[in-house]
Amino acid sequence: MAFKNSALADIYARVEKRDPDQKEFLQAVREVLESIEPVIEKRPEFAKAGIVDRIVEPERMIVFRVSWVDDNGKVQVNRGFRVQFNSAIGPYKGGLRLHPSVNLSVIKFLGFEQIFKNSLTGLPMGGGKGGSDFDPKGKSDGEIMRFCQSFMTELSKHIGSCTDVPAGDIGVGGREIGFMFGQYKRLRNEFTGVLTGKGLTYGGSLIRTEATGYGLCYFTDEMLRANGKSFKDQTVVISGSGNVAIYAAQKATQLGGKVVAMSDSAGYIYDKNGINLDVIKDLKEVKRARLSEYVKSVPSAEYHEGKGVWSIPCHIALPCATQNELDENDAKMLVKNGCYAVAEGANMPSTPEACEYMIQNGVLFGPAKAANAGGVATSGLEMSQNSIRLSWTAEEVDEKLKGIMTNIYNSAYNASVEYGCPGNLIVGANIAGFTKVAEAMLAQGVAY
Ligand code: NDP
C-alpha cells in the first residue's frame, strides 16, 4: 500500500534509508504510519512538532557484550540489547527476549510496537524492549544463571523502577527473571520493583503468568460478542506452546472453546478430542521437553514435523509463537477452512499480506498491540503493587485485567469508527495508542 500523505511517505523513506536492513522494524513502522494518516491530516500540530519523525527513532539504544562461562569451563560471548524507545507517558517497559534470532531490528520492532501497546492499556508505561541472541535451549540451570547474571551486570546500569522496568518474553520466564532480579539486588543493594514477572515469594503478582493468554481470550471474547458470537463450541487452533499459548488455551477452553492444535518450532500436534493441557504444561513448564513428546502421553493424537498448524480447520485462530509465522497462504487456508476470527497473542505474527487478506475477507481480526496487551497491563499492576507494598488477590487482578482488555477493545473500535474504517482494529489500535503518546510528547516539548 502506498502512502497518501507525502510527509509520512518522506518520514518512512528516511527511516528506510537510515536502516535499510532492519526488515522487521521497517514492517512495524510502515503499518503504524499507514494507520495514522488520518490523524496527521486532522491534527497539524503533530507534524509541526515533528512527533512522527521523533517517535520512529529510539531515545536510547544500548548494545553490549555478554560473556559467561559454560559447564565445560569455556568462555562464551553473546550480544545484549536494550532499546529504550519512548518515555513520554511513563518509564520504559517491555520484555527481554532470549533467542538466537534476536538482533537490533527485532528488538527495535518489538520496542516500537510496545510504545502503542502500553499506551492502549491506559497505564503510565513508556515503550522499550531488550534481549540477546543467547539460545537457552539445551542449557543447564547453571549456564542459564551465569548468562542471566552477566547480562544483568551491564543492564543494571541502565534500568530502575522509575526508569526502565523489563519483563519476560520468548525464552525468559520465571527462572530467568529470578536470576536477573537476584543479580540486580546484589549489585545495587536495593530491593525494588525493577523487573516484572517475578516469583510470588519476592514481589510478583498473581495472574501475571497467565495474563497475556487470558487477556488475549478476554479481548477475543469481546470482539466475538460484539459480532454476536462467542467461544462456545468453537474449534480453536493455537500456534506455539510457550507461556502465551498455554494460558490462551486454558482460557479459551474455560470460555467453552475446544483447542485442537498447538505447535513449537519443530512441529505441531493435532488432538481431535481437545488438547490435554496438563500434559502440555508438564512437558513445557516442568520438563522443558519438545512438543513431539505429547503423543507418548496421548497416543490418539497426531504429531506432524514442520510448519502447517494453520492447515487444521478451525473457527478461531490464535497465533502465539513469533513474528511473521502466519503468511498470506496460511490466511487463505484458514479462510477456506471456515476460520472467521484471528487474534494475535504473539507480536506481529501475521505478515502484512496476511492481515490484508483476512480483513478483506471479513475475518474478525484482533491485532497484537491490542489483543496481547494483557501481559504488560498486568506487569503494570505488578509495578503498582510493588509501589504500595501490597499484594492483590488473584480475583482482584483478574477483574482488573478483564476491565483493561474491554477498554482496549472499545478504544480501538471507537477510533476505527471515528476515523472512517469501522471494525478495522489494526487502524483503530494504532490510532488510539499513537494519539495519547503524541499528545504527551507535544506537551513535553522538543529537546530531550
Ligand atoms: P515462550 O518462550 O514461552 O514460547 C514461545 C513459543 O513460540 C514456543 O512454543 C516456541 O517454540 C515458539 N517459537 C519461538 N520462536 C519460534 C520460531 N522462530 N518459529 C516457530 N516457533 C517459535 O514465549 P512467550 O509465550 O512468552 O511469547 C510468545 C509470543 O508472545 C512472542 O511473540 C512474544 O513477543 C509475545 N508476547 C509475550 C508476552 C508475555 O507476557 N510473555 C506478552 C506479549 C506478547 P520452541 O520452544 O520450539 O522454540
Side-chain angles (χ1 to χ4, degrees), residues 315-346:
H315 301 112
I316 300 167
L318 305 175
C320 295
T322 194
Q323 63 271 9
N324 293 326
E325 53 158 314
L326 195 165
D327 64 18
E328 190 177 4
N329 285 334
D330 298 321
K332 285 182 177 162
M333 204 148 40
L334 283 167
V335 170
K336 186 165 147 268
N337 287 338
C339 174
Y340 62 78
V342 174
E344 299 182 321

Side-chain angles (χ1 to χ4, degrees), residues 67-84:
S67 39
W68 55 282
V69 180
D70 70 17
D71 286 348
N72 299 316
K74 188 169 183 301
V75 175
Q76 301 284 348
V77 179
N78 287 100
R79 184 169 284 176
F81 302 89
R82 186 71 184 167
V83 171
Q84 299 180 329

